[in-house]
Amino acid sequence: DWLNAYRQGGNPQNLLTGLLNQLINSEQVDGNIRYGSSWISLADATNLQQQLDELQQRLQQNQGDLSALPLYGVPCAIKDNINVMGFNTTAACPEYSFAPQQDAFAVSLLRRAGAIIIGKTNLDQFATGLVGTRSPYGAVKNPFNADYISGGSSSGSAVALASGQVAFALGTDTAGSGRVPAGFNHIVGLKATPGAISCRGVIPACRSLDCVSVFALNNADAGYIYQLLAVYDEQDEYSRVRPPVAENPIRTLGIPATSEWFGDEQQQLAYNKACAQARAAGYRLTEIDFTPFFQLAELLYQGPWVAERYAAVGEFLLQSLPGINDTVKKIITAGCDGSAVDAFKAEYQRQQLVRKIEQQFSQVDALFVPTTPLFPTLKQVEDAPVEVNSQLGRYTNFVNLANLSAIALPAQRRMDELPFGITVIAPAWHELALSQFAAHWQAQLQLPLAPLVNGQQQQDSVVVAVVG
Amino acid sequence: DWLNAYRQGGNPQNLLTGLLNQLINSEQVDGNIRYGSSWISLADATNLQQQLDELQQRLQQNQGDLSALPLYGVPCAIKDNINVMGFNTTAACPEYSFAPQQDAFAVSLLRRAGAIIIGKTNLDQFATGLVGTRSPYGAVKNPFNADYISGGSSSGSAVALASGQVAFALGTDTAGSGRVPAGFNHIVGLKATPGAISCRGVIPACRSLDCVSVFALNNADAGYIYQLLAVYDEQDEYSRVRPPVAENPIRTLGIPATSEWFGDEQQQLAYNKACAQARAAGYRLTEIDFTPFFQLAELLYQGPWVAERYAAVGEFLLQSLPGINDTVKKIITAGCDGSAVDAFKAEYQRQQLVRKIEQQFSQVDALFVPTTPLFPTLKQVEDAPVEVNSQLGRYTNFVNLANLSAIALPAQRRMDELPFGITVIAPAWHELALSQFAAHWQAQLQLPLAPLVNGQQQQDSVVVAVVG
């Protein structure tokens, strides 16, 4: 891993310059990033040098003590709706592009820990979508099978990591954007309790629900990055101090009493196998009624929360600009229709459903669900872009509305070799309990948790993981 | 007090029948309740007998153990937007009247404790107002000086208690309705943390902000009733379990660095005296910037929350009915205009202001404010009904939006003999700290905390207090 490489005398200057040159070779065509890349922008030589210089300064300030820089020289990718000084923020819309004057709060914490930001990643425009195809920079290719979607909206961050281009990546997650692409790319996606990680410096999707999420190759890395980022930010009004919650260890898992696979039998088989593996690992699986979860999931898309997207970027999208994605425009501009009366009525419904959900969590410690109920092809999404998108959100949409924490984890691949992922969902502030489950799950399944390079899962690589 | 009277052999049947006959004599004219009374309905003989029979049954179920019925035979008044079986609920609109099939949750707790509901009290229609004049049943008369308003919206509950007609009363409080009338009637008004007392069975004003409030003659009674009512209600989606909060004892009080008295010098003088008394009692008073509080107060009236009132009763108010109050109709029906986008934008502003308010509470334990900055006459309200109303809410409107707890307390009367009240405002779940402050305040000021009967403050009376 990266830290070991440095401890053994590796030099960030050489290793990271090499990495960037590799990326430029693989991702750029004629000096421009290729269509459908994970990346929207890559650090140029000046940008990288500046980061490396700052890193050396930080090290000197710490008298050369590497332990004060826990991410010393570790390369990461940042979703392009999160501000990073030295890179334009596009939110996957070229005409929206601007040069931020400040790092997002989460990014500043990564820099302070020594991380190097390699570039900004592609996404469903304005983080509106779970598909990874709604971008004028091209649909991000799934590294396991290019006929299938990579998932979104944090598609680029997930694929850059899954392809071994960085050691970890940041995404965002409002309706599942930090979990769905984890499931489709065989990586870990940690979406902590809303407010645990500051969203200051993130282009809002639904500001009252947005989360910064962490992608990593394994649970230990995800937990490590999370702990660095979970810092209360007085200047973000949705940032929250962790209350004195006693976390319940996860023993009993709620699974849906009835499920709908939208014709994807492979996904169903993979989930059944995962359930059997969870039972074999000693967990008690209990069928519970998912009706309140599904109703809350529907409320997110049919209710007033799209007005939050309109409040953020609606007026910008009213313009006629070639870089605006039609589907995204249609969804968000419809958000100006609702009335305040309807917004409050939906909020009452939400509170009622949240109450029912709390009652469900008195029976189980966590939910154990497929990250998505289907793994669609690019073609399927093209044919029904809105419908397939909402099918994808079945097990993710309700999570932030209900103030829950969740981790998406790789499970055993499907019989057709596509990745399959499960998600464990717990009450607020249960990140440690989720991490303990994930560690146990990983140990039981013994899956290869290394990136794909040229279509081959690596067993060992310098670009593997943060924590050895 | 009532409980002592029963312990000394008094009989609820005789005492309460006597009380009701007195009330019927004083409040009814030709068989109808007089215009401007505190009451909209009084228990008739059948209703009272039924309550007394049930009380005897409860006592028998408890083998005659009076300690199991802590409010045994204690007469109380309930604001007429709170459902009580056996009484119609009008919300001060005769055409809205209906016979509830169930007690409000809070009322059922009072009955279980042995309380007797004497009647339902007058209010600003649909709890929309802080004046006590917006009712087709007449403006409730202030017992200290009939030229002045009694305050609202829980006007009838406050005046019935202040006049010695009951031992305690329930009101509701969205923007100050449980505090303003306490201030104008020399009684205690406890508005606990939103969600502490269930609002199931209450006609909503702003459902996300509404609180049931307690009026009592002294702090001990208010605290006692509060403890009986602060029961988590699974069926009210806004009911909350008290989190494990460590209450800060109140030592440092924040007072406004600048204040506005709308021409009411008497009120200003009384507040200055109250501040001096608080200092003399050992509290440290610190001037703080009230801008975020005032901005949040303005947001309540100018922002989207009026859409909640529309969601509750807006369609009803679109009708042309003689019993509908014009001012109330105008305010609430305007609530359908706002968009969901504006509602979310206001919610973001609220979150920002709440963050600033949290920062203010890191400097002080509580706020110490005049309950209202002015004590207007009926005439002044008539001349500018909306303007004076919003002036009244200056120190009350922001409290529920910021999720705070508050207690309105009698202070020394003004030089013109009108009551003057102060309010202490603390973070959520600080009811015990508020009660400790209030006990100390009462002990220091040695005010007469007995009701007015025929214009005279009583020193002793059977109708005084619950707790001896």
Side-chain angles (χ1 to χ4, degrees):
Chain A
D1 72 274
W2 283 89
L3 291 178
N4 270 336
Y6 295 134
R7 282 192 211 102
Q8 288 158 19
N11 173 327
Q13 181 89 37
N14 298 341
L15 287 173
L16 293 171
T17 308
L19 172 70
L20 252 179
N21 285 336
Q22 261 185 20
L23 284 180
I24 285 166
N25 285 335
S26 70
E27 303 295 323
Q28 288 194 356
V29 180
D30 299 334
N32 293 313
I33 292 180
R34 67 176 168 76
Y35 188 77
S37 167
S38 308
W39 301 90
I40 287 177
S41 53
L42 285 165
D44 59 21
T46 321
N47 179 326
L48 180 64
Q49 196 53 54
Q50 204 174 335
Q51 293 193 60
L52 289 168
D53 292 347
E54 280 170 20
L55 183 62
Q56 288 320 307
Q57 281 169 21
R58 282 180 215 273
L59 191 62
Q60 281 163 20
Q61 280 161 11
N62 290 292
Q63 282 85 35
D65 178 9
L66 268 180
S67 68
L69 295 168
L71 298 180
Y72 178 79
V74 175
C76 67
I78 308 289
K79 186 177 179 179
D80 202 14
N81 60 345
I82 302 175
N83 290 338
V84 182
M85 290 267 281
F87 297 88
N88 275 13
T89 303
T90 68
C93 182
E95 294 91 346
Y96 185 79
S97 179
F98 67 94
Q101 298 305 304
Q102 230 183 340
D103 281 332
F105 185 73
V107 170
S108 71
L109 293 173
L110 293 180
R111 284 210 216 256
R112 204 175 301 165
I116 300 289
I117 291 117
I118 292 298
K120 305 290 297 289
T121 55
N122 204 346
L123 63 149
D124 285 312
Q125 194 169 73
F126 294 114
T128 299
L130 296 172
V131 286
T133 66
R134 296 172 177 171
S135 169
Y137 299 96
V140 178
K141 282 215 172 60
N142 189 300
F144 290 83
N145 186 329
D147 293 339
Y148 286 79
I149 64 168
S150 53
S153 64
S154 314
S155 43
S157 282
V159 171
L161 175 67
S163 311
Q165 300 178 337
V166 288
F168 71 93
L170 295 191
T172 62
D173 187 317
T174 304
S177 292
R179 290 161 279 156
V180 170
F184 291 159
N185 293 287
H186 200 71
I187 58 174
V188 174
L190 175 61
K191 189 223 66 72
T193 307
I197 303 177
S198 165
C199 283
R200 181 152 55 103
V202 177
I203 309 304
C206 299
R207 195 167 161 191
S208 72
L209 302 173
D210 295 339
C211 295
V212 168
S213 70
V214 177
F215 292 118
L217 292 169
N218 58 52
N219 168 60
D221 281 5
Y224 194 77
I225 304 295
Y226 167 69
Q227 292 205 349
L228 284 171
L229 297 182
V231 174
Y232 174 71
D233 176 9
E234 202 175 65
Q235 288 179 63
D236 171 17
E237 59 270 22
Y238 285 96
S239 173
R240 290 161 65 198
V241 177
R242 188 186 192 284
V245 172
E247 294 189 43
N248 295 323
I250 294 173
R251 296 200 184 98
T252 304
L253 297 169
I255 59 171
T258 55
S259 35
E260 161 71 81
W261 302 95
F262 306 101
D264 193 337
E265 276 181 37
Q266 286 277 337
Q267 197 79 349
Q268 179 173 12
L269 288 172
Y271 179 62
N272 291 344
K273 184 179 279 182
C275 286
Q277 289 166 324
R279 282 195 194 90
Y283 296 95
R284 192 147 56 85
L285 272 62
T286 312
E287 283 189 357
I288 61 170
D289 178 12
F290 264 55
T291 311
F293 299 104
F294 294 151
Q295 285 174 340
L296 193 57
E298 276 170 36
L299 200 59
L300 181 65
Y301 282 163
Q302 287 160 19
W305 283 272
V306 66
E308 295 203 83
R309 296 184 191 267
Y310 189 90
V313 294
E315 285 181 16
F316 174 85
L317 287 174
L318 290 177
Q319 302 172 89
S320 277
L321 297 169
I324 290 177
N325 178 284
D326 281 342
T327 307
V328 170
K329 179 175 187 157
K330 216 175 289 173
I331 292 168
I332 297 184
T333 53
C336 72
D337 294 341
S339 72
V341 174
D342 292 336
F344 280 110
K345 284 183 179 171
E347 178 64 24
Y348 304 152
Q349 271 186 279
R350 173 204 196 174
Q351 294 295 340
Q352 281 175 353
L353 291 168
V354 166
R355 179 56 49 90
K356 286 186 189 165
I357 285 172
E358 282 169 9
Q359 288 159 0
Q360 298 291 48
F361 274 107
S362 66
Q363 300 169 50
V364 298
D365 301 316
L367 307 182
F368 181 87
V369 296
T371 300
T372 61
L374 73 166
F375 197 152
T377 60
L378 287 165
K379 177 77 173 56
Q380 283 173 295
V381 169
E382 209 172 294
D383 292 348
V386 173
E387 194 187 351
V388 171
N389 194 83
S390 61
Q391 292 166 352
L392 288 173
R394 192 165 175 84
Y395 296 105
T396 56
N397 283 349
F398 59 83
V399 173
N400 287 339
L401 276 174
N403 192 34
L404 303 171
S405 57
I407 192 164
L409 295 169
Q412 203 169 318
R413 291 215 216 167
R414 310 190 336 167
M415 284 160 68
D416 59 8
E417 288 295 313
L418 284 175
F420 175 71
I422 55 99
T423 292
V424 186
I425 302 169
W429 306 107
H430 272 61
E431 286 77 14
L432 185 60
L434 288 174
S435 178
Q436 285 166 343
F437 174 90
H440 188 210
W441 175 255
Q442 272 178 201
Q444 288 284 317
L445 265 67
Q446 294 287 343
L447 300 171
L449 296 172
L452 276 189
V453 177
N454 301 323
Q456 296 298 311
Q457 195 122 37
Q458 302 299 298
Q459 291 308 317
D460 194 23
S461 158
V462 75
V463 190
V464 174
V466 181
V467 180
Chain B
D1 73 279
W2 283 90
L3 290 178
N4 269 337
Y6 296 135
R7 282 193 210 102
Q8 288 157 18
N11 173 324
Q13 181 89 37
N14 298 343
L15 288 174
L16 294 171
T17 309
L19 172 69
L20 253 178
N21 285 337
Q22 263 185 17
L23 284 180
I24 286 166
N25 285 336
S26 70
E27 303 295 324
Q28 288 194 356
V29 180
D30 299 334
N32 294 313
I33 291 179
R34 66 174 170 78
Y35 188 78
S37 168
S38 308
W39 301 90
I40 288 177
S41 52
L42 285 164
D44 60 20
T46 321
N47 179 326
L48 179 65
Q49 195 54 52
Q50 205 174 334
Q51 292 193 62
L52 290 167
D53 292 347
E54 280 169 21
L55 183 62
Q56 288 318 308
Q57 281 169 22
R58 282 180 215 273
L59 190 62
Q60 280 164 22
Q61 281 161 11
N62 290 293
Q63 282 84 38
D65 178 10
L66 268 179
S67 69
L69 294 168
L71 298 180
Y72 179 79
V74 175
C76 67
I78 309 289
K79 186 176 179 180
D80 202 14
N81 61 346
I82 302 176
N83 290 337
V84 182
M85 290 266 282
F87 297 87
N88 275 12
T89 302
T90 67
C93 181
E95 295 91 344
Y96 186 80
S97 179
F98 67 94
Q101 298 305 302
Q102 232 183 338
D103 281 333
F105 186 74
V107 170
S108 71
L109 293 172
L110 293 180
R111 285 211 215 255
R112 205 175 299 165
I116 300 290
I117 292 117
I118 292 298
K120 304 289 297 291
T121 55
N122 204 348
L123 62 148
D124 285 313
Q125 193 169 73
F126 295 114
T128 299
L130 296 172
V131 285
T133 65
R134 297 173 178 171
S135 169
Y137 299 97
V140 177
K141 282 216 172 58
N142 188 300
F144 290 83
N145 185 330
D147 292 339
Y148 285 79
I149 63 169
S150 55
S153 63
S154 313
S155 44
S157 281
V159 172
L161 175 66
S163 311
Q165 300 179 337
V166 289
F168 72 93
L170 294 191
T172 63
D173 187 317
T174 304
S177 292
R179 290 162 278 155
V180 171
F184 290 159
N185 293 285
H186 200 72
I187 58 174
V188 174
L190 175 61
K191 189 224 65 76
T193 307
I197 302 178
S198 166
C199 284
R200 181 152 56 101
V202 177
I203 308 305
C206 299
R207 194 168 160 191
S208 72
L209 302 174
D210 295 339
C211 295
V212 168
S213 70
V214 177
F215 291 118
L217 292 170
N218 58 53
N219 169 59
D221 281 6
Y224 194 77
I225 304 296
Y226 167 69
Q227 291 205 350
L228 284 171
L229 297 182
V231 173
Y232 175 70
D233 177 8
E234 201 174 66
Q235 289 178 63
D236 171 17
E237 60 270 23
Y238 284 96
S239 173
R240 289 160 67 197
V241 178
R242 187 185 194 284
V245 172
E247 294 188 42
N248 295 323
I250 294 174
R251 294 200 186 96
T252 305
L253 298 170
I255 59 171
T258 55
S259 35
E260 160 71 82
W261 301 95
F262 306 102
D264 193 337
E265 276 181 37
Q266 287 278 336
Q267 198 78 350
Q268 179 174 9
L269 288 172
Y271 179 62
N272 290 345
K273 184 179 279 182
C275 286
Q277 289 166 323
R279 282 195 193 92
Y283 296 95
R284 190 149 58 85
L285 271 62
T286 313
E287 284 190 358
I288 62 171
D289 178 13
F290 264 54
T291 310
F293 298 104
F294 294 150
Q295 285 174 340
L296 193 58
E298 275 170 36
L299 200 59
L300 180 66
Y301 283 163
Q302 286 160 20
W305 283 272
V306 65
E308 295 203 82
R309 296 185 191 265
Y310 189 90
V313 295
E315 286 182 16
F316 174 84
L317 287 174
L318 291 176
Q319 302 171 89
S320 277
L321 297 169
I324 290 177
N325 178 283
D326 280 342
T327 307
V328 170
K329 179 176 187 158
K330 215 175 288 174
I331 292 168
I332 298 185
T333 54
C336 72
D337 294 341
S339 72
V341 174
D342 292 336
F344 278 110
K345 285 183 178 169
E347 178 62 24
Y348 304 152
Q349 271 186 278
R350 172 205 195 173
Q351 294 296 338
Q352 280 174 355
L353 291 168
V354 165
R355 178 57 47 91
K356 286 187 190 163
I357 285 171
E358 282 169 10
Q359 288 160 0
Q360 298 290 48
F361 275 106
S362 67
Q363 301 170 48
V364 297
D365 301 317
L367 308 181
F368 181 87
V369 296
T371 300
T372 61
L374 73 166
F375 197 152
T377 60
L378 287 164
K379 176 77 174 53
Q380 282 173 295
V381 169
E382 209 172 294
D383 292 346
V386 173
E387 195 187 351
V388 172
N389 194 84
S390 61
Q391 292 167 351
L392 288 173
R394 191 163 175 85
Y395 295 105
T396 56
N397 284 348
F398 60 84
V399 173
N400 287 337
L401 276 174
N403 192 33
L404 303 170
S405 56
I407 193 164
L409 296 170
Q412 201 169 319
R413 291 216 214 167
R414 308 187 341 167
M415 284 158 70
D416 59 7
E417 288 297 313
L418 284 174
F420 175 71
I422 56 98
T423 291
V424 186
I425 302 170
W429 307 106
H430 272 60
E431 286 77 14
L432 184 61
L434 288 175
S435 178
Q436 285 166 343
F437 174 90
H440 188 210
W441 176 255
Q442 273 179 200
Q444 288 285 319
L445 266 67
Q446 295 286 344
L447 300 172
L449 296 172
L452 276 191
V453 177
N454 300 325
Q456 296 299 312
Q457 194 124 35
Q458 302 299 297
Q459 291 308 317
D460 193 23
S461 159
V462 75
V463 191
V464 174
V466 181
V467 179

